[in-house]
Amino acid sequence: LGRSEVQIEGVIQMLKGFKASQVQREQEVFGCMIHNLFDEYRFFPRYPERELLITGKLFGSLIQHQLVSSITLGIALRYVLEALRKHNRTNMFKFGMCALEQFKSRLVEWPQYCHHINQISHIRESHKDIIEYIQRALARGNQGGAAGQDAQ
């Protein structure tokens, strides 16, 4: 995925520029790109593994870099959670884990979302590192008095 990581960073930077742009056409391109990616979600299970992992990195990066918000953020988080609930040997599960890895530093913002992830037995069994990360993040969030916002 090496070269694709550089390309994803480039796409993220471009999207940040389009989102913040004063040029209406660039804002429209941003909206169209996000809409098309979300619309494509229903076809993700058909993607070859490599392409799906690249898409997972992009998807998670959109969340990490706050390029989606409000309703769109809720949909993005729901899509990742749906993927995480798939059998852990499926490409969709791998997509979900890849996306989650990109925005895990923001998980503390969504305690209820973390609770949903904690409820997925195959993640608790096979991905103890992410469960421990979530528990540490939530503990830090509680110590800081951060109420956080639920994504669901």
Side-chain angles (χ1 to χ4, degrees):
L1 293 177
R3 183 182 294 161
S4 66
E5 289 178 23
V6 172
Q7 292 171 336
I8 289 169
E9 279 301 312
V11 170
I12 292 298
Q13 294 309 315
M14 179 189 67
L15 288 171
K16 283 181 175 180
F18 283 0
K19 183 180 182 185
S21 177
Q22 299 300 314
V23 179
Q24 184 177 352
R25 177 127 174 89
E26 289 182 355
Q27 290 181 357
E28 289 170 359
V29 169
F30 169 80
C32 186
M33 289 178 75
I34 299 297
H35 175 80
N36 287 342
L37 179 64
F38 279 59
D39 200 40
E40 187 73 10
Y41 176 79
R42 65 179 180 249
F43 300 113
F44 286 3
R46 299 181 194 164
Y47 279 30
E49 181 178 2
R50 183 177 182 279
E51 285 74 7
L52 191 56
L53 292 177
I54 292 168
T55 304
K57 278 187 155 316
L58 176 61
F59 212 85
S61 295
L62 293 176
I63 297 170
Q64 175 63 26
H65 294 280
Q66 300 181 9
L67 287 166
V68 291
S69 57
S70 188
I71 293 169
T72 312
L73 173 62
I75 293 168
L77 290 170
R78 188 177 76 235
Y79 283 171
V80 172
L81 190 62
E82 282 177 11
L84 293 173
R85 287 179 171 147
K86 301 290 185 200
H87 189 277
N88 64 356
R89 288 198 178 101
T90 65
N91 285 347
M92 281 305 289
F93 176 79
K94 293 173 188 173
F95 159 84
M97 287 301 291
C98 190
L100 181 65
E101 193 61 38
Q102 305 310 305
F103 68 89
K104 72 179 184 182
S105 66
R106 292 193 65 196
L107 285 172
V108 68
E109 298 174 40
W110 310 300
Q112 189 63 38
Y113 190 76
C114 291
H115 176 72
H116 289 305
I117 294 171
N118 279 330
Q119 297 305 306
I120 302 171
S121 61
H122 57 267
I123 293 180
R124 283 197 323 269
E125 293 163 8
S126 307
H127 296 275
K128 291 180 174 42
D129 55 326
I130 195 73
I131 296 299
E132 290 170 5
Y133 181 91
I134 288 170
Q135 290 169 345
R136 284 193 308 272
L138 289 176
R140 280 194 310 272
N142 289 337
Q143 289 170 356
Q149 295 220 332
D150 292 348
Q152 299 230 326

